[in-house]
Amino acid sequence: MLKQTEGSHAMAEAIALCRPEVICAYPITPQTHIVEGLGEIVKSGELENCEFINVESEFAALSVAIGASAAGARTYTATASQGLLFMAEAVYNAAGLGLPIVMTIGNRAIGAPINIWNDHTDSMSMRDAGWIQIYAENNQEAVDLHIQAFRLAEELSMPVMVCVDGFILTHAYERIDIPSQEQVDAYIPPFEPRQVLDPREPVSIGAMVGPDAFMEVRYLAHHKQMRALELIPQLSAEFEQQFGRKAGDLIKTYRCEDAKTIVVALGSVIGTIKDVIDDMRDQGESIGAVSICSFRPFPTRQLHNALCKAERIVVLEKALSLGIGGVVSHDLHMALAGTKVRAYTVVAGLGGRPITKTSLRNLFEKAQQDALEPLTFLDLNQNVVNREIEREKQQRRSGPTAENILRDLAAGNAR
């Protein structure tokens, strides 16, 4: 059913259609409207056989989800930013225990300084925790990916993060097709958990594992991720067949067939990138785009096939790995191994800074001339940066440093 609605409310409706049995909720901007919407659906009785649990923290939210999932319940929660960091220990535990929890991440920057707006720093910080991570390009895909996520999590018995750009998608109103309960029921079979805690047959989970077996445990978690590389396209194709629209998959290409320059990105910025590419194509420019939907597992082979014939790629990413630069581009270099493709990393949109068509057009034109630095910061205010760097230099010159103090003390002791 087509309706004009907020992205968060649409996601809440889609999640309810998946018939979760336990929803653990703690509000943190910008995911709050999702769990609020689910709370209203549960209270109204529209979602039956579901326990909505308000908890005292993000750590408690995922901890309760772990207990519920281990007891055999289809389980859902959501968080963002600092909330994801607060539950970090539980994030690793949920994956290590192989529990099919679905969690929405309303992507938001991490402080300090405090910032409630969108970038991908939060989910990227948990990229090695063992969860599948899938990124939505728009709100329709956010709805569809949640439906696929429950199926994916339960077939592999592992947790899935659905990453949705905060505010840009969560708070945007647009026309969205909400499927029927019958459609979702036909796509997601009744939940049959692989492992169930039963008081009548007590067992230990998450117990101590020594050096003789820990590597094997971690390898098996990696093996599940590799299986997901095969399953994600299958579930996406099945979804398209049943619902009549494409969503998800590992990657999506846009006007790449003859492109000499290809832009790679995740999330909602792809929509703006496509608009710029259309404008440039109209003027005869050879440029295309690749959207990464599955960041974990990382689709190395699929990206290699999509990028290997290009002359250059521009990786536009909304996260910064301090001390090295790109996060996505670091992984992407594996996909480019053995090719002569030139790769540029562009960090953009940190803390919600707008990524405009004008800035992207200028960026792509420079890339086509190979006039970009290997690491570029889009729309960085160089005056502010240079002023602060100069101020720091003056402080180092004028103030007593630890090195100078120690040297003076050593000289005094020698005398």
Side-chain angles (χ1 to χ4, degrees):
M1 178 180 66
L2 287 172
K3 62 190 302 185
Q4 189 80 8
T5 186
E6 187 192 60
S8 291
H9 293 156
M11 286 180 254
E13 289 187 57
I15 292 158
L17 292 172
C18 298
R19 301 187 186 274
E21 297 165 292
V22 174
I23 297 171
C24 316
Y26 189 83
I28 180 171
T29 303
Q31 64 83 19
T32 305
H33 290 181
I34 300 174
V35 291
E36 282 181 346
L38 284 165
E40 293 171 358
I41 293 171
V42 172
K43 185 178 180 179
S44 70
E46 184 179 347
L47 175 57
E48 299 176 344
N49 303 317
C50 179
E51 186 173 0
F52 188 93
I53 304 175
N54 287 302
V55 295
E56 71 276 9
S57 71
E58 291 90 356
F59 181 84
L62 190 52
S63 296
V64 170
I66 287 172
S69 184
R74 179 175 285 167
T75 308
Y76 170 83
T77 190
T79 193
S81 187
Q82 262 80 342
L84 181 60
L85 298 189
F86 191 24
M87 62 168 65
E89 179 184 355
V91 171
Y92 275 79
N93 285 339
L97 293 170
L99 298 173
I101 299 165
V102 173
M103 177 165 64
T104 307
I105 307 297
N107 283 118
R108 168 186 153 184
I110 291 174
I114 192 73
N115 181 292
I116 66 168
W117 291 275
N118 166 251
D119 64 31
H120 293 158
T121 310
D122 50 4
S123 55
M124 290 291 172
S125 74
M126 293 291 122
R127 62 188 179 275
D128 296 326
W131 289 58
I132 291 174
Q133 285 193 4
I134 48 180
Y135 286 74
E137 181 179 329
N138 51 53
N139 273 322
Q140 183 65 67
E141 187 168 55
V143 164
D144 299 342
L145 286 180
H146 279 91
I147 297 169
Q148 294 182 35
F150 280 97
R151 176 85 178 271
L152 180 62
E154 291 167 12
E155 290 206 16
L156 291 171
S157 194
M158 64 187 302
V160 178
M161 289 183 193
V162 182
C163 302
V164 181
D165 284 350
F167 292 108
I168 299 171
L169 296 184
T170 58
H171 288 59
Y173 278 77
E174 56 185 295
R175 190 175 73 162
I176 301 173
D177 188 0
I178 308 295
S180 67
Q181 186 66 70
E182 292 73 22
Q183 286 179 300
V184 177
D185 286 345
Y187 184 78
I188 304 177
F191 181 35
E192 296 184 6
R194 302 273 184 89
Q195 51 186 340
V196 179
L197 288 177
D198 187 342
R200 294 168 297 184
E201 299 180 11
V203 295
S204 294
I205 64 170
M208 178 75 74
V209 173
D212 56 331
F214 190 78
M215 183 177 289
E216 286 73 17
V217 170
R218 298 301 292 170
Y219 175 82
L220 291 172
H222 171 71
H223 178 69
K224 278 189 179 182
Q225 290 268 346
M226 295 300 100
R227 285 182 54 207
L229 286 174
E230 300 177 0
L231 186 57
I232 289 171
Q234 294 174 16
L235 295 183
S236 175
E238 186 176 332
F239 183 91
E240 182 178 10
Q241 183 179 11
Q242 293 189 22
F243 291 80
R245 58 178 176 270
K246 187 170 179 61
D249 211 334
L250 298 170
I251 65 171
K252 294 187 286 292
T253 61
Y254 185 74
R255 307 190 76 166
C256 285
E257 296 78 10
D258 60 343
K260 295 179 180 179
T261 301
I262 297 179
V263 184
V264 180
L266 300 84
S268 61
V269 72
I270 284 289
T272 311
I273 290 171
K274 287 179 178 178
D275 288 343
V276 176
I277 287 173
D278 288 342
D279 292 342
M280 296 179 71
R281 279 283 183 172
D282 289 343
Q283 296 178 5
E285 303 287 348
S286 178
I287 186 168
V290 170
S291 172
I292 298 176
C293 182
S294 170
F295 183 62
R296 286 292 183 270
F298 193 73
T300 305
R301 179 175 58 82
Q302 290 78 8
L303 284 167
H304 176 90
N305 293 340
L307 303 173
C308 64
K309 295 180 181 178
E311 292 182 3
R312 67 189 65 79
I313 65 166
V314 178
V315 187
L316 191 80
E317 42 189 318
K318 299 173 78 170
L320 171 61
S321 182
L322 301 179
I324 187 168
V327 179
V328 180
S329 56
H330 183 271
D331 292 352
L332 202 60
H333 279 294
M334 293 188 298
L336 297 175
T339 72
K340 296 182 180 180
V341 181
R342 297 183 291 279
Y344 302 99
T345 299
V346 180
V347 176
L350 297 186
R353 178 164 296 186
I355 302 175
T356 66
K357 290 178 64 176
T358 299
S359 293
L360 289 177
R361 177 67 181 260
N362 293 335
L363 176 75
F364 300 160
E365 288 177 349
K366 286 184 179 179
Q368 289 180 312
Q369 298 165 12
D370 290 312
L372 287 180
E373 295 292 325
L375 176 62
T376 299
F377 293 85
L378 187 66
D379 293 338
L380 181 70
N381 190 327
Q382 203 66 53
N383 291 331
V384 171
V385 170
N386 290 340
R387 185 175 68 239
E388 291 303 312
I389 291 173
E390 184 59 33
R391 182 182 298 174
E392 182 185 0
K393 287 180 181 178
Q394 292 175 357
Q395 289 173 344
R396 288 203 305 268
R397 286 194 295 263
S398 61
T401 65
E403 181 180 358
N404 292 338
I405 293 170
L406 290 174
R407 186 173 62 245
D408 292 342
L409 288 172
N413 290 336
R415 289 193 296 267

